[in-house]
Amino acid sequence: MSAPLHGVRIVDLTHGIGGPTAAMILGDLGAEVIKVEVPGGETLRVVTGPSHKGESYDFLAFNRNKKSLVLDLATEPGREALYDLVHISHVVISSFRPGVMARLGADYETLLKHNPALIYCTITGFGSSGPLAHRAGVDIIGAAYGGIMSLLREPGRPPLKPQPAMIDSTTGVYAALGIVAALRDKDESGRGRKVEICLLDVAVSLLGFTIPYYTLGGGVLEAMGSKHWNIVPFGTFATKDGYIALGPCWPRIAHVLGAEWLAEDPRFATREGRVKHRDELEGVIAERLRQANTDDWLGLFEAEDIQAAPVNTVDKVVADQQVNHNGMILTIPHSLGGEVKVAGNPIKLSDHESKPLPPPTLGQHTREILSQLLGYDEDKIRLVEQARSGKRPAAKQ
């Protein structure tokens, strides 16, 4: 059975994390993704740190199942090649702040002339209109302005940035969902449309129940770290050799800890009482948990069907039996030789087994796309390859 998005061609004009994540998800689901890069490559290619034969760890994380085409959109040959590609494609994704794509001749209105049924997804920091539309936006800016960071801290401690780039990554997921919805509608109506996603909106959407809690008169919820506002006990606790996370577990945890008297204490008999006396109750639990190792507690908790998990570091996640059984650590042969390991796609579809292509090297597929897909002869290919303006688009969003 063919992949769900087989036959869909996507032009990826993005950089950073949000846009590339969206395109990568769609590539995992079978779409043909052509990543159009400026000469010199997109921003994540030049990030310092670990690399595979010179390919940045950051670029490798978000760009599998794509082909790389180098075009300078500030030149006429580069724009012409883009227009020819858009003419035979279904989706374009961009992730620059409003105005940048218009200056490059790659905005929605311009590309619509070359493909009236085009789906165009734009990812920005604050939106395409409004008082803050002109501002740049990266992950930490969306998390801060959208209220997420105010809730990510221990009481009395500074706000924390959600790691690793959670707002950017979630923006990519929302963008992919919007594109799939637009493709579904296009199958029925034959019409394309514009899909708009911004980091601010994504951050606000993740506030979830905190918004109705506030608007219904509950006030502004204060940061609780890993604890829950109205479920006690709950959160992370130190053990003898690490940390353990507990979900809803009352009153069974009292039995496991050998502290049955806690369940009989009138202070802890109701939810309201446990919240009021949180420090006393969780203080006893914390003291008991520090007496044994994480694995010992996990065995006891599992026997009582208590929701609990170790607070794993990345090395343990990569080696974990369940994680690997779920196919979430992909080992991909790279075109430069050797293999790279990256996080997989959590979407599992019956009768579809993805065989991921490695993230492309810069311009790896330029000649293939220009000759085989666009039908350019050698002279025209050289014209596109040699067209260099020396200009680069503005910074992300």
Short mmCIF file of all heavy atoms in Angstrom, two decimals, residues 1 3 13 43 46 54 57 76 87 103 119 127 129 149 154 177 188 205 207 307 317 324 338-339 359 364 369 371 388:
data_model
loop_
_atom_site.label_atom_id
_atom_site.label_comp_id
_atom_site.label_asym_id
_atom_site.label_seq_id
_atom_site.Cartn_x
_atom_site.Cartn_y
_atom_site.Cartn_z
N MET A 1 0.85 -1.19 0.00
CA MET A 1 0.00 0.00 0.00
C MET A 1 0.89 1.25 0.00
O MET A 1 1.89 1.31 0.71
CB MET A 1 -0.90 0.01 1.24
CG MET A 1 -1.88 1.18 1.29
SD MET A 1 -3.00 1.09 2.72
CE MET A 1 -3.98 -0.34 2.26
N ALA A 3 2.20 5.15 0.51
CA ALA A 3 2.18 6.05 1.66
C ALA A 3 1.00 7.02 1.54
O ALA A 3 0.59 7.38 0.43
CB ALA A 3 3.49 6.81 1.74
N LEU A 13 10.40 26.10 1.95
CA LEU A 13 11.16 27.35 1.97
C LEU A 13 11.45 27.79 3.41
O LEU A 13 11.50 28.97 3.71
CB LEU A 13 10.39 28.46 1.25
CG LEU A 13 10.18 28.30 -0.25
CD1 LEU A 13 9.25 29.40 -0.77
CD2 LEU A 13 11.50 28.34 -0.99
N THR A 43 20.05 28.12 8.21
CA THR A 43 20.68 28.46 9.47
C THR A 43 21.17 27.27 10.27
O THR A 43 22.24 27.32 10.88
CB THR A 43 19.70 29.28 10.34
OG1 THR A 43 18.46 28.56 10.44
CG2 THR A 43 19.45 30.63 9.73
N VAL A 46 24.81 25.63 10.01
CA VAL A 46 26.04 26.27 10.51
C VAL A 46 26.09 26.28 12.04
O VAL A 46 26.94 26.93 12.62
CB VAL A 46 26.17 27.70 9.97
CG1 VAL A 46 26.32 27.68 8.46
CG2 VAL A 46 24.96 28.56 10.36
N GLY A 54 30.61 16.62 9.09
CA GLY A 54 30.38 18.03 8.80
C GLY A 54 28.93 18.45 8.77
O GLY A 54 28.63 19.65 8.67
N TYR A 57 24.34 18.44 13.83
CA TYR A 57 23.35 17.65 14.58
C TYR A 57 21.97 18.28 14.50
O TYR A 57 20.95 17.58 14.44
CB TYR A 57 23.78 17.51 16.05
CG TYR A 57 23.62 18.78 16.86
CD1 TYR A 57 22.48 19.02 17.62
CD2 TYR A 57 24.59 19.78 16.84
CE1 TYR A 57 22.32 20.18 18.34
CE2 TYR A 57 24.45 20.95 17.56
CZ TYR A 57 23.30 21.16 18.31
OH TYR A 57 23.14 22.31 19.01
N GLU A 76 17.02 36.50 -10.90
CA GLU A 76 15.95 36.12 -11.81
C GLU A 76 15.97 34.63 -12.15
O GLU A 76 14.90 33.98 -12.14
CB GLU A 76 16.02 36.96 -13.09
CG GLU A 76 14.86 36.71 -14.03
CD GLU A 76 14.88 37.64 -15.24
OE1 GLU A 76 15.61 38.64 -15.21
OE2 GLU A 76 14.15 37.34 -16.21
N HIS A 87 4.77 25.51 -9.93
CA HIS A 87 3.75 25.18 -10.93
C HIS A 87 3.39 23.70 -10.90
O HIS A 87 2.23 23.34 -11.18
CB HIS A 87 4.24 25.57 -12.33
CG HIS A 87 3.26 25.27 -13.42
ND1 HIS A 87 2.07 25.95 -13.56
CD2 HIS A 87 3.30 24.34 -14.42
CE1 HIS A 87 1.41 25.45 -14.60
NE2 HIS A 87 2.14 24.48 -15.14
N ARG A 103 9.40 40.36 -0.77
CA ARG A 103 10.60 40.97 -1.36
C ARG A 103 11.34 39.99 -2.27
O ARG A 103 11.98 40.41 -3.23
CB ARG A 103 11.53 41.48 -0.26
CG ARG A 103 10.99 42.68 0.50
CD ARG A 103 12.07 43.38 1.29
NE ARG A 103 12.66 42.55 2.31
CZ ARG A 103 12.17 42.44 3.55
NH1 ARG A 103 11.06 43.10 3.89
NH2 ARG A 103 12.78 41.69 4.45
N ILE A 119 -1.54 25.34 -2.06
CA ILE A 119 -1.68 25.48 -0.61
C ILE A 119 -0.39 26.10 -0.10
O ILE A 119 0.71 25.60 -0.35
CB ILE A 119 -1.92 24.12 0.06
CG1 ILE A 119 -3.29 23.56 -0.37
CG2 ILE A 119 -1.83 24.23 1.58
CD1 ILE A 119 -3.50 22.12 0.01
N GLY A 127 2.26 36.36 13.81
CA GLY A 127 1.13 36.43 12.90
C GLY A 127 1.46 37.29 11.69
O GLY A 127 2.47 37.99 11.66
N SER A 129 -0.50 39.75 10.51
CA SER A 129 -1.05 41.10 10.65
C SER A 129 -1.17 41.42 12.13
O SER A 129 -0.97 40.56 12.99
CB SER A 129 -2.42 41.20 9.96
OG SER A 129 -3.35 40.32 10.57
N MET A 149 6.26 30.25 29.70
CA MET A 149 7.41 30.30 30.59
C MET A 149 7.04 30.72 32.01
O MET A 149 7.73 30.35 32.97
CB MET A 149 8.49 31.22 30.02
CG MET A 149 9.25 30.62 28.86
SD MET A 149 10.54 31.69 28.19
CE MET A 149 11.65 31.82 29.59
N GLU A 154 10.12 26.46 39.29
CA GLU A 154 9.81 26.14 40.67
C GLU A 154 9.38 27.42 41.38
O GLU A 154 9.82 28.52 41.01
CB GLU A 154 11.04 25.55 41.36
CG GLU A 154 11.49 24.20 40.79
CD GLU A 154 10.54 23.07 41.14
OE1 GLU A 154 9.75 23.24 42.10
OE2 GLU A 154 10.58 22.03 40.46
N LEU A 177 -0.60 19.59 10.43
CA LEU A 177 -2.03 19.28 10.53
C LEU A 177 -2.85 20.22 9.66
O LEU A 177 -3.78 19.79 8.96
CB LEU A 177 -2.48 19.38 11.99
CG LEU A 177 -3.96 19.16 12.27
CD1 LEU A 177 -4.39 17.76 11.84
CD2 LEU A 177 -4.24 19.35 13.77
N GLU A 188 -11.71 17.70 -2.35
CA GLU A 188 -13.14 17.86 -2.56
C GLU A 188 -13.48 19.05 -3.45
O GLU A 188 -14.34 18.96 -4.33
CB GLU A 188 -13.84 18.03 -1.20
CG GLU A 188 -13.77 16.81 -0.29
CD GLU A 188 -14.62 15.67 -0.81
OE1 GLU A 188 -15.68 15.96 -1.38
OE2 GLU A 188 -14.21 14.51 -0.64
N SER A 205 -2.27 28.31 22.76
CA SER A 205 -3.09 27.09 22.70
C SER A 205 -2.65 26.07 23.74
O SER A 205 -3.47 25.30 24.25
CB SER A 205 -3.02 26.47 21.30
OG SER A 205 -1.80 25.77 21.10
N LEU A 207 -1.64 26.71 26.71
CA LEU A 207 -2.03 27.09 28.07
C LEU A 207 -3.19 26.25 28.59
O LEU A 207 -3.41 26.15 29.80
CB LEU A 207 -2.39 28.57 28.13
CG LEU A 207 -1.23 29.55 27.97
CD1 LEU A 207 -1.74 30.97 27.91
CD2 LEU A 207 -0.21 29.40 29.10
N GLN A 307 0.82 4.88 38.69
CA GLN A 307 1.51 5.52 37.58
C GLN A 307 2.81 6.16 38.07
O GLN A 307 2.79 7.09 38.89
CB GLN A 307 0.62 6.60 36.96
CG GLN A 307 -0.67 6.07 36.37
CD GLN A 307 -1.50 7.17 35.76
OE1 GLN A 307 -1.00 7.99 34.98
NE2 GLN A 307 -2.78 7.22 36.11
N VAL A 317 16.97 7.11 27.35
CA VAL A 317 15.86 7.07 26.38
C VAL A 317 16.30 6.39 25.09
O VAL A 317 15.59 5.52 24.56
CB VAL A 317 15.35 8.50 26.09
CG1 VAL A 317 14.32 8.48 24.96
CG2 VAL A 317 14.74 9.12 27.34
N ASN A 324 12.65 1.81 21.69
CA ASN A 324 13.14 1.19 20.46
C ASN A 324 12.10 0.25 19.86
O ASN A 324 11.99 0.14 18.63
CB ASN A 324 14.45 0.46 20.72
CG ASN A 324 15.63 1.43 20.80
OD1 ASN A 324 16.20 1.80 19.79
ND2 ASN A 324 15.97 1.85 22.01
N GLY A 338 28.42 6.02 6.76
CA GLY A 338 28.07 5.89 8.16
C GLY A 338 26.58 6.03 8.39
O GLY A 338 25.78 6.05 7.45
N GLU A 339 26.19 6.10 9.64
CA GLU A 339 24.79 6.18 10.01
C GLU A 339 24.56 7.31 11.01
O GLU A 339 25.46 7.70 11.74
CB GLU A 339 24.32 4.87 10.67
CG GLU A 339 24.41 3.66 9.76
CD GLU A 339 24.05 2.37 10.48
OE1 GLU A 339 24.29 2.29 11.71
OE2 GLU A 339 23.54 1.44 9.82
N PRO A 359 18.87 13.10 5.91
CA PRO A 359 18.86 14.54 5.63
C PRO A 359 19.86 14.83 4.51
O PRO A 359 20.97 14.31 4.52
CB PRO A 359 19.30 15.16 6.97
CG PRO A 359 18.89 14.15 7.99
CD PRO A 359 19.12 12.82 7.34
N GLN A 364 22.40 18.76 -2.68
CA GLN A 364 22.63 17.39 -3.15
C GLN A 364 21.78 17.03 -4.36
O GLN A 364 22.22 16.29 -5.25
CB GLN A 364 22.36 16.41 -2.01
CG GLN A 364 22.54 14.94 -2.38
CD GLN A 364 22.24 14.02 -1.19
OE1 GLN A 364 22.12 14.45 -0.05
NE2 GLN A 364 22.10 12.73 -1.47
N ILE A 369 16.83 17.71 -9.65
CA ILE A 369 15.53 18.39 -9.71
C ILE A 369 15.42 19.26 -10.96
O ILE A 369 14.39 19.24 -11.67
CB ILE A 369 15.32 19.23 -8.44
CG1 ILE A 369 15.21 18.31 -7.22
CG2 ILE A 369 14.09 20.12 -8.56
CD1 ILE A 369 15.30 19.03 -5.90
N SER A 371 17.02 19.05 -13.81
CA SER A 371 17.03 18.32 -15.08
C SER A 371 15.85 17.36 -15.20
O SER A 371 15.11 17.39 -16.18
CB SER A 371 18.35 17.55 -15.24
OG SER A 371 18.49 16.58 -14.21
N ARG A 388 24.15 34.07 -8.36
CA ARG A 388 24.38 34.33 -6.94
C ARG A 388 24.34 35.84 -6.71
O ARG A 388 25.13 36.60 -7.29
CB ARG A 388 25.74 33.80 -6.50
CG ARG A 388 25.89 32.28 -6.62
CD ARG A 388 25.06 31.58 -5.55
NE ARG A 388 25.29 30.14 -5.56
CZ ARG A 388 24.61 29.27 -6.28
NH1 ARG A 388 23.62 29.70 -7.07
NH2 ARG A 388 24.88 27.98 -6.23
#
